[in-house]
Amino acid sequence: MFIKNLSYFNFRNLIDGNLEFDKKFNLFLGKNGQGKTSVLESIYFTITGQSFRTKNIKDIIKYEKLKLATYLEYEDKFSEKNIAIKTISNKKEYFYNKKKVTYDEYLGRLNVISFIPEDINLIIGSPMNRRNFFDYEISQGNTSYYIHLKNYNKILKIRNTFFKNKDFSEIFEIYNQKFFEEIVEIVTMRYEYIKKISILLNLNYRKLFDNKSELILTYKNSFGDITKLNKNQIMKKLLEYYKKIKDKEKKYGYSLIGPQKDDFLFLLNGKEAKSFSSQGEKKSIIFALKISEIDMLIKEKSETPIFLIDDISSYFDSIRKESIIKYFENREIQLFLSSTDDLGINSKKFKIFKGDVNG
Ligand SMILES: Nc1ncnc2c1ncn2[C@@H]1O[C@H](COP(=O)(O)OP(=O)(O)OP(=O)(O)O)[C@@H](O)[C@H]1O
């Protein structure tokens, strides 16, 4: 899968225009603040409907403007297609092959993985960073996960309202049942995903950075270890745990159980990366994670995702940059890089965009 071109209107500091891309290597070169990240962000936004920098849609609309639009043409293994997003009064409208669609119909048509400096928060940040990240990544390859998560979040909200109103009638029990069912679905899918990606992560980390280390990603759910349990056994364990916290939930007035309480841990050679790994190791862990996401998506969807690397120079020295580019030469993945420095001899392989994005 690859992007042929992208048009944008009122996107951050970019001058409205259209960019034609190379099927494989694209490099945005320029000084700080020129708009390199904004181009990567506009690609990411058009594919996902989200920004990798902000939750607030207003931030990405050009200063003093009220709406923005982006349009992207791509080719998958079957044919040429296009997707577009328009914003109207801070609400997004999604289009697939020029027909208006819902967000659920839009998501996952084209897949993208990004690697940006802020990704370090996946290790050093709060559990919410990791949950949001894995929720999004699992959803990209598995629509059923996305639907269960959406249902769960609705039920969680309603359940918390019951707590607030101290209403523990029969209807609460009906919601409770649905609540537990959704938890079992979500934790099972999270567990399966983490089990698979942890193997790839270790392989990729060794291949790319250090073949003597062992990197493990583990899933810590809110009610205990579910390794090797089937759905019925997970439900049993969940209900046992619920019995213990039932009164506490009523006392505190909100849900103390469920996927919103989970976390994911990176263990490098048996030690938690958050507290023990160096900055360089943390960056390498995240990079290996992103490569593993690509491998997972290819397995699940048999299509290659687009890969974006923002500010590659701030992450890696020239030797690592060299080995990363070599790695991508042997893979059929369209790559978009931004950098303040020339990539030396490797620059020749890239279609270079230099200052042509913001004049
Ligand atoms: N909504 C917006 N409208 C117009 N300009 C914006 C908007 N948001 C940010 N900017 C401007 O865009 C510039 C940032 O662009 P961007 O982050 O893409 O630069 P960059 O080339 O990636 O820089 P760096 O190398 O420092 O990361 C800043 O000068 C900022 O003031």
Side-chain angles (χ1 to χ4, degrees), residues 12-13 32-38 53 59 61-63:
R12 293 224 192 238
N13 63 332
N32 292 126
Q34 217 174 23
K36 304 178 299 294
T37 308
S38 302
R53 288 203 271 196
D59 297 350
I61 302 175
K62 186 165 283 181
Y63 298 148

Side-chain angles (χ1 to χ4, degrees), residues 144-197:
S144 159
Y145 182 79
Y146 171 72
I147 292 166
H148 279 296
L149 198 64
K150 223 167 91 169
N151 284 343
Y152 174 78
N153 285 328
K154 258 192 229 156
I155 296 169
L156 177 66
K157 240 188 195 164
I158 298 171
R159 191 172 187 261
N160 285 339
T161 317
F162 278 104
F163 283 122
K164 219 184 241 165
N165 299 336
K166 298 200 183 321
D167 173 359
F168 304 112
S169 58
E170 265 172 39
I171 308 169
F172 172 74
E173 289 309 328
I174 294 168
Y175 272 103
N176 245 357
Q177 184 55 35
K178 195 78 202 123
F179 178 72
F180 295 134
E181 283 166 14
E182 291 295 357
I183 292 179
V184 171
E185 291 299 328
I186 292 165
V187 300
T188 308
M189 284 190 258
R190 276 187 180 173
Y191 176 73
E192 288 302 324
Y193 183 87
I194 295 301
K195 198 167 70 180
K196 284 188 212 153
I197 203 159

